Amino acid sequence: MSSHPTDFQGSVIDAVREAIEQQIQNSRATVNGGGGHFSIEVTSPVFAGMSKLESQRLVYSAIAHLMQGDMPPVHAVDSLKTQTPAAS
């Protein structure tokens, strides 16, 4: 795992997950990683009818504040997967 300097206090994984789940209605996010690099999977019915690019832009907009500044807690998203819930 790489090292990435940040002055962020607390769990970056929790902050990313919470930001996504608060911004994207009825979403469930799984976040893994560290050192500024993260893998994210998001499931939400909101993605229905969206292109892959549109759904990924929605996720990036939810975490944009965590990627800004000189020492952001999120340096890179190495993997981003978006999907709708499976039909029951």
Side-chain angles (χ1 to χ4, degrees):
M1 190 177 308
S2 66
S3 176
H4 175 71
T6 182
D7 53 7
F8 185 85
Q9 299 295 310
S11 170
V12 178
I13 288 175
D14 289 346
V16 170
R17 187 185 73 254
E18 290 168 7
I20 293 167
E21 291 179 349
Q22 288 175 5
Q23 292 287 324
I24 301 175
Q25 188 175 12
N26 298 317
S27 65
R28 187 179 74 246
T30 302
V31 182
N32 295 296
H37 291 253
F38 298 89
S39 296
I40 302 170
E41 290 186 22
V42 184
T43 303
S44 175
V46 170
F47 300 142
M50 287 186 178
S51 71
K52 185 175 185 176
L53 182 60
E54 289 171 324
S55 63
Q56 289 181 343
R57 283 181 176 161
L58 193 59
V59 173
Y60 277 112
S61 70
I63 63 169
H65 66 288
L66 296 169
M67 299 179 79
Q68 296 174 343
D70 292 334
M71 294 188 343
V74 178
H75 174 70
V77 176
D78 295 333
S79 172
L80 175 56
K81 180 178 178 182
T82 58
Q83 60 192 7
T84 56
S88 304

